[in-house]
Structure formats: structure tokens, C-alpha cells
Amino acid sequence: MRYAITVEYDGTRYSGWQRQLNAVSVQEVLEDALGAFLGEKTVLHASGRTDRGVHAAGQVAHFDTECTIPPHKIRFAVNSALPDDVRIVDMRHVGDGFHAQYDVVSKTYSYKIYVGNTLSPLRRLYYTRVLPPLDTDAMRRAAAKLVGTHDFRAFCSTGSSAKTSVRTLYEVNVETDGDEVVLTVTGNGFLYNMVRIIAGTLVFIGKGKIPEENVDLMLSTGERKLGGKTFPACALTLEKVEYPD
Amino acid sequence: MRYAITVEYDGTRYSGWQRQLNAVSVQEVLEDALGAFLGEKTVLHASGRTDRGVHAAGQVAHFDTECTIPPHKIRFAVNSALPDDVRIVDMRHVGDGFHAQYDVVSKTYSYKIYVGNTLSPLRRLYYTRVLPPLDTDAMRRAAAKLVGTHDFRAFCSTGSSAKTSVRTLYEVNVETDGDEVVLTVTGNGFLYNMVRIIAGTLVFIGKGKIPEENVDLMLSTGERKLGGKTFPACALTLEKVEYPD
């Protein structure tokens, strides 16, 4: 039987989603806890990797098991065995044809920024800090240029193995609440570091370090150098993965 | 010269505000960093203690120094020497008569709850979890009973050295946002564990474990046993301390 699980994790102390030899990954602690309870080697297939330090509120993965214990009982037992920075928040039976990576319809990431002169101890784990002032209207105008189907190779770090760099973004929102700015990006897929480069580029535009038009140029020329820095991982959260109904 | 500083800290790894012999306190790391920069023993007088694990967004303390370096430079240098879970967010010259504890007009605390079946990795450090359902309307009605001047000894843990247990609460708000509930309590002073007992009592009422009328009885009889548990420290933040203009 195939199950899909939705996983929330605090990525602070992990090397990322994907299992590695010399570092602790989220996949490893989950596969080990599931495997120990189910009494069989368990392999998780996620919607995609998340990088070192990136968080997830709604990562999705699937696995197969012979076990017939009801899923809510498996979930409860496995959660009890997991460290407190990883939890299975949902577990459901899916058809054998379901694939957590290939069936993705869209993914939504958030990127959290606070604007201040001082590092904020209470936000240091989940936000990145930007010095004031920040022109969020300019960021919004630039964000709107990203929506649609484009070649996003200028928004990709080297080392990506993707076959094509064409992706579709359905929404790029810039929301402000007091001294906090949250970017929310929804798309059909993302290149390596894509959201962190979008965040860095929008912030550079908001700081007046590069003109808004650089976004158009990045999309037309593919030049990574026209953008802002790749912003820190700790402010990035995989919020949601959507599949066909 | 006397200075007042506003301090933000993540209380997770501290024994509380107050300096202790065998545990690291926020007061100690601040006094040590200030003292090292100013080149003189520095003693901080805070608006009050915060307990082990309690956070602050706006703790206030004062100290005296002979140093004539401008305060923004002192702040910058001292912040650079502090661990990243403690920051001086404001520093200003005050009159020699100012006292961070005795001059307090009001303090505001927040208490953060999320309602869910699963522990939330991304909220575990700053929230406490309550199983659904939670009747927040009942919590709001009970909260309203607390506003005003009352003898709060039923909302105080043993070990308090306060001379009187009469306090005035100006506001007790219960705000909901999705699966999160934030209590905000403003008063002229607080007894030992008072906000955590208010939080536990309101949640017990919201869970139907005790009737709303217990709040009236607690205020009239002073019986601690009529209330809910003392709720966890990690969800409590000292948000703001107000002084006369």
C-alpha cells in the first residue's frame, strides 16, 4: 500500500531533505523512524529536495508498506519517536500510481524578511534581516514581472541538473505587516536556489541597489549577475505542495 | 550618566533574566558585554525578572556609566559582542531619577497558543500546543472578568515575595488567527507566574475543564486550585514596558 505523508520540519539543524553520508538529513530521521516502527526498510520519495537550513510546513512524500495498521496510529507512533523539529502532520492512503514528485501541480514557498536596524533574537531562526528603508512598492512591481511562464535560468545557482529552466510562476506576492515583509511564491516547479535568488533580487530592488528593469533583463538574457544575492536559507519555508484532486 | 536600554531576547537557553551562580542568565551576558566595552563594572536594574525560558521583545533596564561615547555607538559595539539570542534594540539617556523597576506604569505580555493535533516543529520554541476544540468565546468572556483591580493571589505560584497581591489589569485580549490564539495582558504589575496561570486557566475554560465562573471564585476566594495549570514558559513574551512620558 502506498501512503502520502505531509511533513513539517524546522530545517535549522539539518543538512536538507535529502539523505547524505556525513550529515543528518530530514529524510534520514523520517525513514529511520518509519522503518523502525514498520519493521521494514522504508524509502521516502519527496516532492523535491529542500536545501540545508530550509524549513517546511507542508513537504509531501510517499512510501510503500505492507503494514496494515491504520495510518493515524502509524503517524502517532512515528511522531513520538521523531525529534521535536520534525513531525508528520498528515498521512493518507493514496493509489499505487501516485508519485509525490512527478504528480506535483504546484508548490508554494514563503520567504520572511524583517526590516530593522538590529538583529531580532526572536526572529533570527526564521527570518532574514534587511536594513531600512525598503521600497516594497518597487518590490511588488518587480514581483509582478516574474509571474507567468519564463526561462528562469538567471534565477538559478550553478549546480542545477534541471533539463529545462522554463518554469511557470502563478503568484509572487509581497505582503507587509509592520516591520515584516513576507514573499509568497507559487509555481509549477523551482530551480536550484530560485526562491532565494528571487528574494535577493526583489530586496536589492527595494533597496535601490539594482533597477526594477533588471528583472526583465534577467528573464530575457538569462544573466544571473543582473540579480541580487542568493538570500539566506533560514528565511525560506516550503509551505504547500498541491496535487491533482 | 544613566541610560535605559530596551532588550530583546530569546529565553530558550537562559535561566531567566536574573544573574545566578550556576546558570547563564540574560542579565549576566548583558552586564558582561557592557562592562567589557565600558571598562567598568556594570550593574543592570531591569523592569522586573523574567523566568527561565521566558522571552522578551521589550525588556527595559537602566545602568549608570562614566563613559561619554554616544549611546548608538555603545549599542552597536555591545550588540556585536552579544550572542545572537540577545540584542539591545534601543539605548537612551535618562535622568538620574529614572528607575526601570520603580517607575513602571504598565507591562504587556503575550502568550502564544496553537490549536492542533500535532506538535508544530516551526512553532515549538515560541508557542504552546492545545488539542482542539478550544472555545475561544468562553475564553474571551472569562478574560473580561480579569480586567480591573483585583486581588490576584489565586493567580500566583507559591514562592512569591510580593507584599500585596492586588494588581490592576488594563487589558486581557484573546485574539485568534487561523489555528493560533494569542493572549495579550497589560497591567500595572504581575505576580509570580501570573500570566502563565491566567493562560492555563483561560485554556482550561476554553476546553470545558473548568467553568467560566471559576474566575470569579478565584478572584473572591484566592483559591489557586480553582484555576488551570501553570502553562509553559516558552510561549510567554514580555512585549513592552511603559513609563511616564
Side-chain angles (χ1 to χ4, degrees):
Chain A
M1 274 204 294
R2 183 158 291 187
Y3 287 100
I5 56 175
T6 304
V7 185
E8 178 176 337
Y9 48 87
D10 180 328
T12 307
R13 66 182 194 95
Y14 293 97
S15 61
W17 167 266
Q18 194 174 44
R19 193 182 265 271
Q20 295 190 12
L21 273 185
N22 298 312
V24 181
S25 65
V26 179
Q27 183 180 15
E28 176 184 336
V29 301
L30 272 167
E31 284 181 351
D32 289 357
L34 278 163
F37 181 77
L38 299 171
E40 55 190 28
K41 181 172 163 61
T42 305
V43 178
L44 286 171
H45 300 270
S47 70
R49 307 174 191 177
T50 54
D51 288 335
R52 171 183 297 275
V54 173
H55 316 291
Q59 169 71 293
V60 176
H62 78 259
F63 67 97
D64 296 315
T65 179
E66 307 286 307
C67 178
T68 56
I69 296 172
H72 71 276
K73 294 198 176 174
I74 297 176
R75 186 167 84 81
F76 185 85
V78 172
N79 275 339
S80 307
L82 284 168
D84 67 358
D85 51 8
V86 180
R87 280 294 178 278
I88 301 172
V89 294
D90 187 62
M91 176 168 173
R92 57 186 63 194
H93 183 224
V94 289
D96 287 349
F98 176 85
H99 196 288
Q101 182 182 357
Y102 305 143
D103 293 355
V104 169
V105 170
S106 73
K107 287 186 185 182
T108 299
Y109 284 92
S110 68
Y111 196 90
K112 292 180 179 161
I113 296 158
Y114 71 93
V115 184
N117 285 305
T118 312
L119 287 173
S120 167
L122 289 169
R123 289 179 283 192
R124 74 195 192 289
L125 298 174
Y126 307 113
Y127 288 75
T128 199
R129 194 266 305 243
V130 170
L131 287 168
L134 185 68
D135 182 349
T136 49
D137 289 331
M139 291 172 68
R140 252 178 229 108
R141 288 191 298 269
K145 299 174 190 279
L146 294 166
V147 176
T149 302
H150 303 284
D151 184 339
F152 282 99
R153 77 194 141 96
F155 294 88
C156 176
S157 292
T158 52
S160 172
S161 58
K163 283 181 210 120
T164 164
S165 46
V166 174
R167 295 289 184 279
T168 301
L169 294 188
Y170 305 116
E171 273 192 29
V172 186
N173 287 326
V174 180
E175 282 176 87
T176 55
D177 179 12
D179 60 354
E180 298 181 358
V181 180
V182 179
L183 312 179
T184 310
V185 187
T186 302
N188 68 348
F190 291 88
L191 302 167
Y192 185 45
N193 282 345
M194 182 164 151
V195 182
R196 293 165 58 188
I197 296 171
I198 289 174
T201 300
L202 294 182
V203 168
F204 269 45
I205 287 167
K207 297 292 299 171
K209 290 186 182 178
I210 57 174
E212 290 169 47
E213 293 65 37
N214 275 29
V215 171
D216 305 296
L217 290 172
M218 290 172 81
L219 294 175
S220 60
T221 67
E223 274 290 345
R224 169 70 186 88
K225 286 176 208 159
L226 295 167
K229 281 190 187 167
T230 303
F231 259 34
C234 74
L236 182 63
T237 302
L238 173 56
E239 295 285 348
K240 199 165 59 175
V241 186
E242 300 264 30
Y243 296 94
D245 289 331
Chain B
M1 271 201 297
R2 183 159 289 187
Y3 286 100
I5 56 175
T6 304
V7 185
E8 178 176 337
Y9 48 89
D10 179 329
T12 307
R13 67 183 193 95
Y14 293 96
S15 61
W17 167 266
Q18 194 174 46
R19 193 181 264 272
Q20 294 191 14
L21 273 185
N22 298 310
V24 181
S25 64
V26 178
Q27 184 181 12
E28 178 184 335
V29 302
L30 272 167
E31 285 180 350
D32 289 358
L34 278 163
F37 180 77
L38 299 172
E40 55 191 27
K41 183 171 161 61
T42 305
V43 179
L44 287 171
H45 299 269
S47 71
R49 305 174 193 178
T50 55
D51 288 335
R52 172 184 296 275
V54 173
H55 315 292
Q59 169 72 292
V60 176
H62 78 258
F63 68 97
D64 296 314
T65 179
E66 307 286 307
C67 179
T68 55
I69 297 172
H72 71 277
K73 293 198 177 173
I74 297 176
R75 187 168 83 81
F76 185 85
V78 172
N79 275 339
S80 307
L82 284 168
D84 67 357
D85 51 8
V86 180
R87 280 293 178 278
I88 301 171
V89 295
D90 188 61
M91 177 169 173
R92 59 187 63 197
H93 183 224
V94 289
D96 286 349
F98 176 85
H99 196 289
Q101 183 183 357
Y102 304 144
D103 293 355
V104 170
V105 171
S106 72
K107 287 186 184 183
T108 299
Y109 284 93
S110 68
Y111 196 91
K112 293 180 178 162
I113 296 157
Y114 71 94
V115 185
N117 285 304
T118 311
L119 287 172
S120 167
L122 288 169
R123 289 179 284 192
R124 74 194 192 288
L125 298 173
Y126 307 113
Y127 289 75
T128 198
R129 195 266 304 244
V130 170
L131 287 168
L134 185 68
D135 181 349
T136 48
D137 289 331
M139 289 173 69
R140 252 178 229 109
R141 288 190 298 269
K145 297 172 189 282
L146 294 166
V147 176
T149 302
H150 303 285
D151 183 338
F152 282 99
R153 77 194 141 94
F155 293 88
C156 176
S157 292
T158 53
S160 171
S161 57
K163 285 182 210 122
T164 164
S165 47
V166 175
R167 295 289 184 278
T168 301
L169 294 188
Y170 304 115
E171 275 192 26
V172 186
N173 287 324
V174 180
E175 282 176 88
T176 55
D177 178 13
D179 60 354
E180 298 181 357
V181 180
V182 179
L183 311 180
T184 310
V185 187
T186 302
N188 68 347
F190 291 88
L191 302 167
Y192 185 45
N193 282 346
M194 182 165 153
V195 181
R196 293 164 57 186
I197 296 171
I198 288 175
T201 300
L202 294 182
V203 168
F204 270 45
I205 288 167
K207 296 292 299 170
K209 290 185 182 178
I210 58 174
E212 291 168 46
E213 292 66 37
N214 275 30
V215 170
D216 305 297
L217 290 170
M218 289 171 82
L219 294 175
S220 60
T221 67
E223 275 289 346
R224 169 72 186 88
K225 286 176 206 157
L226 295 167
K229 280 189 187 166
T230 303
F231 259 33
C234 73
L236 182 63
T237 303
L238 172 57
E239 294 286 349
K240 198 165 60 177
V241 186
E242 300 264 30
Y243 294 94
D245 289 329

